[in-house]
PDB file of all heavy atoms in Angstrom:
ATOM      1  N   GLN J 178      14.760-138.562 -39.017  1.00  0.00           N
ATOM      2  CA  GLN J 178      16.121-138.064 -38.796  1.00  0.00           C
ATOM      3  C   GLN J 178      15.956-136.691 -38.153  1.00  0.00           C
ATOM      4  O   GLN J 178      14.840-136.330 -37.785  1.00  0.00           O
ATOM      5  CB  GLN J 178      16.891-138.000 -40.104  1.00  0.00           C
ATOM      6  CG  GLN J 178      16.324-137.053 -41.132  1.00  0.00           C
ATOM      7  CD  GLN J 178      16.673-137.474 -42.554  1.00  0.00           C
ATOM      8  OE1 GLN J 178      16.107-138.403 -43.089  1.00  0.00           O
ATOM      9  NE2 GLN J 178      17.617-136.767 -43.151  1.00  0.00           N
ATOM     10  N   CYS J 179      17.041-135.957 -38.016  1.00  0.00           N
ATOM     11  CA  CYS J 179      16.895-134.653 -37.369  1.00  0.00           C
ATOM     12  C   CYS J 179      15.881-133.810 -38.125  1.00  0.00           C
ATOM     13  O   CYS J 179      15.927-133.690 -39.335  1.00  0.00           O
ATOM     14  CB  CYS J 179      18.223-133.903 -37.313  1.00  0.00           C
ATOM     15  SG  CYS J 179      18.001-132.239 -36.660  1.00  0.00           S
ATOM     16  N   GLN J 180      14.950-133.232 -37.403  1.00  0.00           N
ATOM     17  CA  GLN J 180      13.878-132.453 -38.010  1.00  0.00           C
ATOM     18  C   GLN J 180      14.274-130.982 -38.150  1.00  0.00           C
ATOM     19  O   GLN J 180      13.457-130.165 -38.544  1.00  0.00           O
ATOM     20  CB  GLN J 180      12.617-132.572 -37.155  1.00  0.00           C
ATOM     21  CG  GLN J 180      12.292-134.009 -36.730  1.00  0.00           C
ATOM     22  CD  GLN J 180      11.528-134.794 -37.768  1.00  0.00           C
ATOM     23  OE1 GLN J 180      10.478-134.356 -38.225  1.00  0.00           O
ATOM     24  NE2 GLN J 180      12.055-135.943 -38.162  1.00  0.00           N
ATOM     25  N   GLN J 181      15.487-130.663 -37.833  1.00  0.00           N
ATOM     26  CA  GLN J 181      16.004-129.287 -37.909  1.00  0.00           C
ATOM     27  C   GLN J 181      14.959-128.312 -37.364  1.00  0.00           C
ATOM     28  O   GLN J 181      14.544-127.374 -38.041  1.00  0.00           O
ATOM     29  CB  GLN J 181      16.414-128.915 -39.340  1.00  0.00           C
ATOM     30  CG  GLN J 181      17.222-129.965 -40.073  1.00  0.00           C
ATOM     31  CD  GLN J 181      18.628-130.203 -39.511  1.00  0.00           C
ATOM     32  OE1 GLN J 181      19.029-129.580 -38.538  1.00  0.00           O
ATOM     33  NE2 GLN J 181      19.372-131.115 -40.100  1.00  0.00           N
ATOM     34  N   CYS J 182      14.546-128.575 -36.135  1.00  0.00           N
ATOM     35  CA  CYS J 182      13.480-127.792 -35.514  1.00  0.00           C
ATOM     36  C   CYS J 182      13.787-126.288 -35.555  1.00  0.00           C
ATOM     37  O   CYS J 182      14.931-125.872 -35.409  1.00  0.00           O
ATOM     38  CB  CYS J 182      13.311-128.207 -34.057  1.00  0.00           C
ATOM     39  SG  CYS J 182      13.170-129.978 -33.811  1.00  0.00           S
ATOM     40  N   ASN J 184      12.402-124.468 -33.312  1.00  0.00           N
ATOM     41  CA  ASN J 184      12.456-124.197 -31.880  1.00  0.00           C
ATOM     42  C   ASN J 184      13.107-125.413 -31.225  1.00  0.00           C
ATOM     43  O   ASN J 184      12.450-126.209 -30.565  1.00  0.00           O
ATOM     44  CB  ASN J 184      11.033-123.968 -31.350  1.00  0.00           C
ATOM     45  CG  ASN J 184      11.026-123.652 -29.879  1.00  0.00           C
ATOM     46  OD1 ASN J 184      12.056-123.283 -29.308  1.00  0.00           O
ATOM     47  ND2 ASN J 184       9.889-123.825 -29.242  1.00  0.00           N
ATOM     48  N   PRO J 185      14.405-125.567 -31.462  1.00  0.00           N
ATOM     49  CA  PRO J 185      15.035-126.849 -31.125  1.00  0.00           C
ATOM     50  C   PRO J 185      15.318-127.036 -29.644  1.00  0.00           C
ATOM     51  O   PRO J 185      16.117-126.293 -29.069  1.00  0.00           O
ATOM     52  CB  PRO J 185      16.344-126.802 -31.921  1.00  0.00           C
ATOM     53  CG  PRO J 185      16.614-125.356 -32.134  1.00  0.00           C
ATOM     54  CD  PRO J 185      15.318-124.612 -32.050  1.00  0.00           C
ATOM     55  N   PRO J 186      14.701-128.006 -29.015  1.00  0.00           N
ATOM     56  CA  PRO J 186      14.970-128.261 -27.604  1.00  0.00           C
ATOM     57  C   PRO J 186      16.429-128.643 -27.344  1.00  0.00           C
ATOM     58  O   PRO J 186      16.954-128.357 -26.267  1.00  0.00           O
ATOM     59  CB  PRO J 186      14.053-129.439 -27.251  1.00  0.00           C
ATOM     60  CG  PRO J 186      13.247-129.747 -28.440  1.00  0.00           C
ATOM     61  CD  PRO J 186      13.712-128.931 -29.576  1.00  0.00           C
ATOM     62  N   CYS J 187      17.062-129.255 -28.332  1.00  0.00           N
ATOM     63  CA  CYS J 187      18.454-129.661 -28.130  1.00  0.00           C
ATOM     64  C   CYS J 187      19.347-128.444 -27.955  1.00  0.00           C
ATOM     65  O   CYS J 187      20.282-128.444 -27.159  1.00  0.00           O
ATOM     66  CB  CYS J 187      18.927-130.502 -29.313  1.00  0.00           C
ATOM     67  SG  CYS J 187      18.797-129.658 -30.885  1.00  0.00           S
ATOM     68  N   VAL J 188      19.054-127.385 -28.694  1.00  0.00           N
ATOM     69  CA  VAL J 188      19.888-126.190 -28.620  1.00  0.00           C
ATOM     70  C   VAL J 188      19.691-125.491 -27.277  1.00  0.00           C
ATOM     71  O   VAL J 188      20.647-125.052 -26.629  1.00  0.00           O
ATOM     72  CB  VAL J 188      19.576-125.239 -29.796  1.00  0.00           C
ATOM     73  CG1 VAL J 188      20.240-123.895 -29.602  1.00  0.00           C
ATOM     74  CG2 VAL J 188      20.006-125.868 -31.109  1.00  0.00           C
ATOM     75  N   VAL J 204      20.684-127.302 -37.819  1.00  0.00           N
ATOM     76  CA  VAL J 204      21.209-127.343 -36.454  1.00  0.00           C
ATOM     77  C   VAL J 204      22.518-128.147 -36.488  1.00  0.00           C
ATOM     78  O   VAL J 204      22.531-129.289 -36.935  1.00  0.00           O
ATOM     79  CB  VAL J 204      20.192-127.997 -35.499  1.00  0.00           C
ATOM     80  CG1 VAL J 204      20.794-128.196 -34.130  1.00  0.00           C
ATOM     81  CG2 VAL J 204      18.946-127.137 -35.405  1.00  0.00           C
ATOM     82  N   CYS J 217      21.398-132.875 -24.658  1.00  0.00           N
ATOM     83  CA  CYS J 217      20.652-132.641 -25.887  1.00  0.00           C
ATOM     84  C   CYS J 217      19.997-133.923 -26.375  1.00  0.00           C
ATOM     85  O   CYS J 217      18.908-133.908 -26.935  1.00  0.00           O
ATOM     86  CB  CYS J 217      21.570-132.078 -26.961  1.00  0.00           C
ATOM     87  SG  CYS J 217      23.026-133.087 -27.256  1.00  0.00           S
ATOM     88  N   ALA J 220      16.972-134.326 -24.631  1.00  0.00           N
ATOM     89  CA  ALA J 220      15.985-133.291 -24.945  1.00  0.00           C
ATOM     90  C   ALA J 220      15.327-133.503 -26.302  1.00  0.00           C
ATOM     91  O   ALA J 220      14.192-133.102 -26.515  1.00  0.00           O
ATOM     92  CB  ALA J 220      16.642-131.910 -24.908  1.00  0.00           C
ATOM     93  N   CYS J 221      16.031-134.120 -27.230  1.00  0.00           N
ATOM     94  CA  CYS J 221      15.507-134.256 -28.588  1.00  0.00           C
ATOM     95  C   CYS J 221      14.338-135.231 -28.616  1.00  0.00           C
ATOM     96  O   CYS J 221      14.475-136.364 -28.180  1.00  0.00           O
ATOM     97  CB  CYS J 221      16.592-134.731 -29.537  1.00  0.00           C
ATOM     98  SG  CYS J 221      15.917-135.176 -31.153  1.00  0.00           S
ATOM     99  N   PRO J 222      13.177-134.805 -29.108  1.00  0.00           N
ATOM    100  CA  PRO J 222      12.020-135.701 -29.122  1.00  0.00           C
ATOM    101  C   PRO J 222      12.010-136.665 -30.302  1.00  0.00           C
ATOM    102  O   PRO J 222      11.060-137.412 -30.451  1.00  0.00           O
ATOM    103  CB  PRO J 222      10.832-134.739 -29.234  1.00  0.00           C
ATOM    104  CG  PRO J 222      11.404-133.362 -29.136  1.00  0.00           C
ATOM    105  CD  PRO J 222      12.819-133.452 -29.524  1.00  0.00           C
ATOM    106  N   TYR J 223      13.017-136.629 -31.161  1.00  0.00           N
ATOM    107  CA  TYR J 223      12.969-137.416 -32.389  1.00  0.00           C
ATOM    108  C   TYR J 223      14.098-138.433 -32.504  1.00  0.00           C
ATOM    109  O   TYR J 223      14.382-138.932 -33.576  1.00  0.00           O
ATOM    110  CB  TYR J 223      12.987-136.487 -33.607  1.00  0.00           C
ATOM    111  CG  TYR J 223      11.882-135.455 -33.571  1.00  0.00           C
ATOM    112  CD1 TYR J 223      12.118-134.165 -33.112  1.00  0.00           C
ATOM    113  CD2 TYR J 223      10.596-135.792 -33.961  1.00  0.00           C
ATOM    114  CE1 TYR J 223      11.106-133.224 -33.059  1.00  0.00           C
ATOM    115  CE2 TYR J 223       9.573-134.866 -33.917  1.00  0.00           C
ATOM    116  CZ  TYR J 223       9.830-133.585 -33.468  1.00  0.00           C
ATOM    117  OH  TYR J 223       8.821-132.655 -33.411  1.00  0.00           O
ATOM    118  N   HIS J 224      14.764-138.696 -31.431  1.00  0.00           N
ATOM    119  CA  HIS J 224      15.879-139.626 -31.437  1.00  0.00           C
ATOM    120  C   HIS J 224      16.843-139.294 -32.577  1.00  0.00           C
ATOM    121  O   HIS J 224      17.291-140.155 -33.321  1.00  0.00           O
ATOM    122  CB  HIS J 224      15.387-141.070 -31.591  1.00  0.00           C
ATOM    123  CG  HIS J 224      16.440-142.087 -31.316  1.00  0.00           C
ATOM    124  ND1 HIS J 224      16.817-142.452 -30.047  1.00  0.00           N
ATOM    125  CD2 HIS J 224      17.217-142.818 -32.138  1.00  0.00           C
ATOM    126  CE1 HIS J 224      17.768-143.354 -30.113  1.00  0.00           C
ATOM    127  NE2 HIS J 224      18.032-143.589 -31.365  1.00  0.00           N
ATOM    128  N   ALA J 225      17.150-138.013 -32.717  1.00  0.00           N
ATOM    129  CA  ALA J 225      17.936-137.596 -33.865  1.00  0.00           C
ATOM    130  C   ALA J 225      19.418-137.505 -33.554  1.00  0.00           C
ATOM    131  O   ALA J 225      20.235-137.455 -34.453  1.00  0.00           O
ATOM    132  CB  ALA J 225      17.450-136.238 -34.362  1.00  0.00           C
ATOM    133  N   ARG J 226      19.762-137.488 -32.292  1.00  0.00           N
ATOM    134  CA  ARG J 226      21.162-137.251 -31.964  1.00  0.00           C
ATOM    135  C   ARG J 226      21.867-138.566 -31.689  1.00  0.00           C
ATOM    136  O   ARG J 226      21.278-139.532 -31.229  1.00  0.00           O
ATOM    137  CB  ARG J 226      21.264-136.276 -30.783  1.00  0.00           C
ATOM    138  CG  ARG J 226      20.563-134.939 -31.095  1.00  0.00           C
ATOM    139  CD  ARG J 226      20.700-133.928 -30.005  1.00  0.00           C
ATOM    140  NE  ARG J 226      21.975-133.238 -30.019  1.00  0.00           N
ATOM    141  CZ  ARG J 226      22.215-132.076 -30.619  1.00  0.00           C
ATOM    142  NH1 ARG J 226      21.270-131.475 -31.281  1.00  0.00           N
ATOM    143  NH2 ARG J 226      23.390-131.514 -30.559  1.00  0.00           N
ATOM    144  N   LYS J 259      24.840-135.358 -35.201  1.00  0.00           N
ATOM    145  CA  LYS J 259      23.451-135.441 -35.663  1.00  0.00           C
ATOM    146  C   LYS J 259      23.393-135.136 -37.151  1.00  0.00           C
ATOM    147  O   LYS J 259      24.368-134.655 -37.731  1.00  0.00           O
ATOM    148  CB  LYS J 259      22.590-134.440 -34.912  1.00  0.00           C
ATOM    149  CG  LYS J 259      23.062-133.009 -35.152  1.00  0.00           C
ATOM    150  CD  LYS J 259      22.187-132.029 -34.455  1.00  0.00           C
ATOM    151  CE  LYS J 259      20.915-131.823 -35.221  1.00  0.00           C
ATOM    152  NZ  LYS J 259      21.126-131.297 -36.581  1.00  0.00           N
ATOM    153  N   CYS J 260      22.225-135.381 -37.747  1.00  0.00           N
ATOM    154  CA  CYS J 260      22.022-135.070 -39.167  1.00  0.00           C
ATOM    155  C   CYS J 260      22.191-133.575 -39.394  1.00  0.00           C
ATOM    156  O   CYS J 260      21.691-132.761 -38.640  1.00  0.00           O
ATOM    157  CB  CYS J 260      20.629-135.502 -39.595  1.00  0.00           C
ATOM    158  SG  CYS J 260      20.152-134.844 -41.193  1.00  0.00           S
ATOM    159  N   THR J 314       8.034-127.919 -31.432  1.00  0.00           N
ATOM    160  CA  THR J 314       9.420-127.837 -31.868  1.00  0.00           C
ATOM    161  C   THR J 314       9.544-127.208 -33.256  1.00  0.00           C
ATOM    162  O   THR J 314      10.630-126.876 -33.674  1.00  0.00           O
ATOM    163  CB  THR J 314      10.049-129.231 -31.925  1.00  0.00           C
ATOM    164  OG1 THR J 314       9.166-130.082 -32.650  1.00  0.00           O
ATOM    165  CG2 THR J 314      10.237-129.793 -30.541  1.00  0.00           C
TER     166      THR J 314
HETATM  167  S1  SF4 H 501      15.161-133.096 -34.299  1.00  0.00           S
HETATM  168 FE1  SF4 H 501      16.268-133.222 -32.373  1.00  0.00          FE
HETATM  169  S2  SF4 H 501      18.382-132.843 -32.925  1.00  0.00           S
HETATM  170 FE2  SF4 H 501      17.148-132.126 -34.613  1.00  0.00          FE
HETATM  171  S3  SF4 H 501      16.819-129.949 -34.201  1.00  0.00           S
HETATM  172 FE3  SF4 H 501      15.055-131.040 -33.363  1.00  0.00          FE
HETATM  173  S4  SF4 H 501      15.592-131.419 -31.261  1.00  0.00           S
HETATM  174 FE4  SF4 H 501      17.497-130.887 -32.304  1.00  0.00          FE
END
Side-chain angles (χ1 to χ4, degrees):
Chain J
Q178 63 207 75
C179 175
Q180 314 276 306
Q181 315 292 1
C182 310
N184 181 18
C187 58
V188 170
V204 173
C217 54
C221 170
Y223 305 97
H224 192 79
R226 302 183 80 94
K259 61 178 282 299
C260 167
T314 49

